[in-house]
Amino acid sequence: MFRLQGSKTLAVDLTGDAVKAKNGSMVAYDGRMTFKKMSGGGEGLRGMVTRRLTGEQMTVMEVSGQGTCYFADRASEINLVSLHGDTLYVEASNLLATDSGLRTGTTFTGLRGGASGNGLFTTTVEGTGQAAIMSDGAAVLLRVSPQYPLMVDPGAYIAHQGRLQQSFQSGVNFRTLMGEGSGEAFQIRFEGDGLVYVQPSERNTVGGDV
Amino acid sequence: MSTPVVFDPMTLPSDDNVNSYTFCVELKGSRWFLQKGKMIAYYGQIDFDGIGHGRFERLVRTSFHSPLHASDWVVAEGSGKMLLADRAFDVNSFDLDDGNLTIRSGNLLAYEPSLALKQSIVPGFVTLIGTGKFVAASNGPVVFMEPPLRVDPQALVGWADCPSPCHHYDHGYMTGVMGGIRSLTGIGGTSGEEHQFEFVGAGTVLLQSSEALMAEQATGFVPNEPGVPGGPGGGGQHGSTPRMPGQLGDLQRRFGL
């Protein structure tokens, strides 16, 4: 059972079950807890190799026991996501904790990842349960519907869920090459039906200065 | 668990804050000026253009009077809703009604072209004149104060309708050989509060509730003419930037060198 203690601390009530969390993100607990590092994010040997190859490394620990465990990471804002059989796509660095019932994996994101500096791959979380994702500043949740596609700055994107196609949109023109770029030359365009999480801050990306 | 609020183009506020870090601007065929790279997402059809020469020249002439730092600004044009944010700092919108407001250049995020942006004669600050809305970022919420008051240089965001500030130094604490040594070495204890900006007259002073400075945004050079403060050559005798305590120049002057 995930709940927020303030906006920057995640409290998880455990009754003998387990939760997967980013390695070293525990800040306090009461009750009895055991922490076990999971090599390769608990995805087996194949998952471990995939993560190593794709650069979506994630060191995960499994916390199990009885009581309440608190997680936080560098005072990032935490957002709870409920999954009901659907898939959450999130950058590995933004994933804080998942229910142990959720499966994590890696997926190819296509061209947009390469240009946005987020890597060509992203982490997927699927199944039924709760996940906690982190953002720099309170995240804004934006709905994408067929009549309203959404354009997102690659540096501000953190996660999305639902049936969304993403494509890469570029506003580069001859003025960009002349050094009169708009600073907004690249965007990820989301179409379909789903939700996108955006943080009010921009990571440094390759396209950010163009 | 409370369900988070999901926004779509209908429920996003128009020209208002989405949360304390994110501001939503609605464009209906209109234009906004924004600092490069502060857009995080948008719905609709919006074009972003750097302002140089070309089709925005008239707009730049009427509402952007600092051609020298035009390259740091972008014009957003089209229709839709756009979200602005800056490194997870607090953002707020302010309305100017036939007024003027001077703001630290790094804090200004975006403004309506009905306002005119001009370089302030205070280095590192810009002045907005006219009627319209602008969006500013601050580290922590903005506090409004009325002069007369003295403020810490790092906490100052800007000021409206009152004459420019002047420097105020804690005289007794800073003069003499002991004062020089104290400010140079810290021996004897410096409180870090020997220097303030002093505001007098009628108006409003905007302060942020932290002393973390936002990265300074270039405001361009000023013409190299005599009588122009901050100019490379013709300006003040002791350099263009205000002399901060603890600089060697202080000690030299104390010994009469």
Side-chain angles (χ1 to χ4, degrees), chain B residues 169-170 173-187 190 192 194-195 242-254:
Chain B
Y169 296 96
D170 241 340
Y173 207 71
M174 292 184 52
T175 46
V177 175
M178 275 316 289
I181 291 171
R182 202 154 37 204
S183 68
L184 262 181
T185 63
I187 297 171
T190 47
E194 296 85 8
H195 171 225
R243 199 165 38 79
M244 300 299 280
Q247 282 178 350
L248 202 60
D250 288 329
L251 204 63
Q252 286 171 334
R253 287 193 323 129
R254 282 195 186 95

Coordinates of all heavy atoms in Angstrom, one line a residue, chain B residues 169-170 173-187 190 192 194-195 242-254:
Chain B
Y169 N 25.9 50.5 3.0 CA 26.9 49.7 3.7 C 26.8 50.0 5.2 O 26.5 51.1 5.6 CB 28.3 50.1 3.2 CG 28.5 49.8 1.7 CD1 28.3 50.7 0.7 CD2 28.8 48.5 1.3 CE1 28.5 50.4 -0.6 CE2 29.0 48.1 0.0 CZ 28.8 49.1 -1.0 OH 29.0 48.8 -2.3
D170 N 27.1 49.0 5.9 CA 27.1 49.2 7.4 C 28.4 49.8 7.7 O 29.5 49.2 7.7 CB 27.1 47.8 8.0 CG 25.9 47.6 8.9 OD1 25.3 48.7 9.3 OD2 25.5 46.5 9.2
Y173 N 30.8 48.9 10.7 CA 31.4 47.6 10.6 C 32.4 47.4 9.6 O 33.2 46.4 9.6 CB 30.2 46.6 10.4 CG 30.4 45.2 11.0 CD1 30.4 45.0 12.4 CD2 30.7 44.2 10.2 CE1 30.6 43.8 12.9 CE2 30.9 42.9 10.7 CZ 30.9 42.7 12.1 OH 31.1 41.5 12.6
M174 N 32.4 48.3 8.6 CA 33.2 48.0 7.5 C 34.4 48.9 7.3 O 35.3 48.7 6.5 CB 32.4 48.1 6.2 CG 31.4 47.0 6.1 SD 30.5 47.1 4.6 CE 31.8 47.1 3.4
T175 N 34.5 50.0 8.1 CA 35.6 51.0 7.9 C 36.7 50.6 8.9 O 36.5 49.8 9.8 CB 35.1 52.4 8.1 OG1 34.3 52.4 9.3 CG2 34.3 52.9 6.9
G176 N 37.8 51.3 8.6 CA 39.0 51.1 9.5 C 39.7 49.8 9.1 O 39.2 49.0 8.3
V177 N 40.9 49.7 9.6 CA 41.8 48.6 9.2 C 41.1 47.3 9.7 O 41.1 46.3 9.0 CB 43.2 48.7 9.9 CG1 44.0 47.5 9.6 CG2 43.9 49.9 9.3
M178 N 40.5 47.3 10.9 CA 39.9 46.1 11.4 C 38.8 45.7 10.5 O 38.6 44.5 10.2 CB 39.4 46.4 12.8 CG 40.4 46.2 13.9 SD 41.4 44.7 13.7 CE 40.2 43.4 14.1
G179 N 38.0 46.6 10.1 CA 36.9 46.3 9.2 C 37.4 45.7 7.9 O 36.8 44.7 7.4
G180 N 38.5 46.2 7.4 CA 39.0 45.6 6.1 C 39.5 44.2 6.3 O 39.2 43.3 5.5
I181 N 40.2 44.0 7.4 CA 40.7 42.6 7.7 C 39.5 41.7 7.9 O 39.5 40.5 7.4 CB 41.6 42.6 8.9 CG1 42.9 43.3 8.6 CG2 41.9 41.2 9.4 CD1 43.8 43.6 9.8
R182 N 38.5 42.2 8.6 CA 37.3 41.4 8.9 C 36.6 41.0 7.6 O 36.3 39.8 7.4 CB 36.4 42.2 9.8 CG 35.4 41.3 10.5 CD 34.9 42.0 11.8 NE 34.7 43.4 11.6 CZ 34.7 44.3 12.6 NH1 35.0 43.8 13.8 NH2 34.5 45.5 12.4
S183 N 36.5 41.9 6.7 CA 35.7 41.6 5.5 C 36.6 40.7 4.5 O 36.1 40.0 3.7 CB 35.2 42.8 4.8 OG 36.3 43.6 4.3
L184 N 37.9 40.9 4.7 CA 38.8 40.1 3.8 C 38.9 38.7 4.3 O 38.9 37.7 3.5 CB 40.2 40.7 3.7 CG 40.5 41.6 2.6 CD1 42.0 42.1 2.7 CD2 40.3 40.9 1.3
T185 N 39.1 38.5 5.6 CA 39.4 37.2 6.1 C 38.3 36.5 6.8 O 38.3 35.3 7.0 CB 40.6 37.3 7.0 OG1 40.2 38.1 8.1 CG2 41.8 37.9 6.4
G186 N 37.4 37.3 7.2 CA 36.3 36.7 8.0 C 36.7 36.6 9.5 O 35.8 36.2 10.3
I187 N 38.0 36.9 9.9 CA 38.4 36.9 11.3 C 37.7 38.0 12.0 O 37.6 39.1 11.6 CB 39.9 37.0 11.4 CG1 40.5 35.8 10.7 CG2 40.3 37.0 12.9 CD1 42.0 35.9 10.6
T190 N 32.1 38.0 10.2 CA 31.3 38.8 9.4 C 29.9 38.2 9.4 O 29.8 37.0 9.4 CB 31.8 38.8 7.9 OG1 32.1 37.4 7.6 CG2 33.1 39.6 7.8
G192 N 27.8 38.7 7.1 CA 27.4 38.6 5.8 C 26.3 39.5 5.4 O 25.7 39.4 4.4
E194 N 26.6 43.1 5.7 CA 27.1 44.4 5.8 C 26.6 45.3 4.6 O 26.9 46.5 4.6 CB 28.6 44.4 5.8 CG 29.2 43.7 7.0 CD 29.4 42.2 6.8 OE1 29.1 41.8 5.7 OE2 29.7 41.5 7.7
H195 N 26.1 44.7 3.6 CA 25.7 45.4 2.4 C 24.3 45.1 2.0 O 23.9 44.0 2.0 CB 26.7 45.0 1.3 CG 26.3 45.5 0.0 ND1 26.4 44.7 -1.1 CD2 26.0 46.7 -0.4 CE1 26.0 45.4 -2.2 NE2 25.7 46.7 -1.8
P242 N 28.8 47.0 -9.0 CA 29.0 47.6 -7.6 C 30.1 46.9 -6.9 O 30.3 45.7 -7.0 CB 27.6 47.3 -7.0 CG 26.8 46.6 -8.0 CD 27.6 46.4 -9.2
R243 N 30.8 47.7 -6.1 CA 32.0 47.2 -5.4 C 31.5 46.4 -4.2 O 30.8 47.0 -3.3 CB 32.9 48.3 -5.0 CG 34.3 48.0 -4.6 CD 35.2 49.2 -4.6 NE 34.4 50.4 -4.0 CZ 34.3 50.5 -2.7 NH1 34.7 49.6 -1.9 NH2 33.6 51.6 -2.3
M244 N 31.8 45.1 -4.1 CA 31.3 44.3 -3.0 C 32.3 44.3 -1.9 O 33.5 44.5 -2.2 CB 31.1 42.9 -3.5 CG 30.1 42.7 -4.6 SD 28.5 43.3 -4.1 CE 27.9 41.9 -3.2
P245 N 31.9 44.2 -0.7 CA 32.8 44.2 0.4 C 33.7 43.0 0.3 O 33.3 42.0 -0.2 CB 31.9 44.1 1.7 CG 30.6 43.6 1.2 CD 30.5 44.1 -0.2
G246 N 34.9 43.1 0.7 CA 35.8 42.0 0.7 C 36.8 42.0 -0.5 O 37.6 41.2 -0.6
Q247 N 36.6 43.0 -1.3 CA 37.5 43.1 -2.5 C 38.8 43.8 -2.0 O 38.8 44.7 -1.2 CB 36.9 43.8 -3.6 CG 35.9 42.9 -4.4 CD 35.2 43.6 -5.5 OE1 35.3 44.9 -5.6 NE2 34.5 42.9 -6.3
L248 N 39.9 43.5 -2.7 CA 41.1 44.1 -2.3 C 41.2 45.6 -2.4 O 41.8 46.3 -1.7 CB 42.2 43.4 -3.2 CG 43.6 43.5 -2.6 CD1 43.6 42.7 -1.3 CD2 44.6 42.9 -3.6
G249 N 40.4 46.1 -3.4 CA 40.4 47.5 -3.6 C 40.0 48.3 -2.3 O 40.6 49.4 -2.1
D250 N 39.2 47.7 -1.5 CA 38.8 48.4 -0.3 C 40.0 48.6 0.6 O 40.2 49.7 1.1 CB 37.8 47.5 0.5 CG 36.5 47.5 -0.2 OD1 36.1 48.5 -0.8 OD2 35.8 46.5 -0.1
L251 N 40.8 47.6 0.8 CA 42.0 47.6 1.7 C 43.0 48.7 1.2 O 43.5 49.4 2.0 CB 42.6 46.2 1.8 CG 43.3 46.0 3.1 CD1 42.4 46.1 4.3 CD2 44.0 44.6 3.0
Q252 N 43.2 48.7 -0.1 CA 44.2 49.6 -0.7 C 43.8 51.0 -0.4 O 44.6 51.8 0.1 CB 44.2 49.4 -2.2 CG 45.0 48.2 -2.6 CD 44.8 48.0 -4.1 OE1 43.9 48.4 -4.7 NE2 45.8 47.3 -4.7
R253 N 42.5 51.3 -0.5 CA 42.0 52.6 -0.3 C 42.1 53.0 1.2 O 42.4 54.1 1.5 CB 40.6 52.8 -0.8 CG 40.5 52.8 -2.3 CD 39.2 53.3 -2.8 NE 38.1 52.8 -2.0 CZ 37.2 53.6 -1.5 NH1 37.2 54.9 -1.8 NH2 36.2 53.1 -0.8
R254 N 41.9 52.0 2.0 CA 42.0 52.3 3.4 C 43.4 52.7 3.8 O 43.6 53.5 4.7 CB 41.6 51.1 4.2 CG 40.1 50.9 4.3 CD 39.7 50.0 5.3 NE 38.3 49.8 5.1 CZ 37.8 48.8 4.4 NH1 38.5 47.9 3.9 NH2 36.5 48.7 4.3

